[in-house]
Amino acid sequence: MTTVREGFLLIESQAAAVPGGVGFPRDAVTQARLGHPVVLFLIQDAVALAVPGRSPELEAFIGAGGRVWVDDFSLAQRGLANAGLLPAAHRTDMGAVAEAVLNPAVKVVWH
């Protein structure tokens, strides 16, 4: 996994808890299709979206060139530490996120 040097860091915490859960991931797909570098960081309830078959929008995001980070701690809290994730989903911790948040070239949006 590489760091975020520019573009967008979209932090999703709620998608799995919202019926359909498509709004924010759909926005991520749009940004990636426009050619913007985008990392979607899944935390809290949203980590469930990284399980294969759970989110067509997340798979479309990956297909559009977006990168997906998944919070290790949130996976463990939800009993998903050993779950198989989408191959393009990278487990990470808050250190990588903090580095991106502090980078002035990265636009951060938290949902």
Side-chain angles (χ1 to χ4, degrees), residues 4-77:
V4 183
R5 298 191 196 296
E6 64 179 346
F8 293 95
L9 173 63
L10 306 179
I11 302 172
E12 177 57 79
S13 62
Q14 304 174 20
V18 177
V22 297
F24 205 59
R26 184 176 44 221
D27 294 342
V29 170
T30 300
Q31 292 302 317
R33 285 183 178 156
L34 289 172
H36 299 289
V38 183
V39 172
L40 180 61
F41 177 60
L42 304 176
I43 190 168
Q44 298 175 337
D45 289 337
V47 297
L49 294 175
V51 174
R54 176 65 176 90
S55 174
E57 292 78 18
L58 188 60
E59 293 179 31
F61 172 68
I62 293 166
R67 295 185 295 156
V68 177
W69 292 356
V70 185
D71 180 50
D72 268 331
F73 182 75
S74 296
L75 286 168
Q77 281 189 315

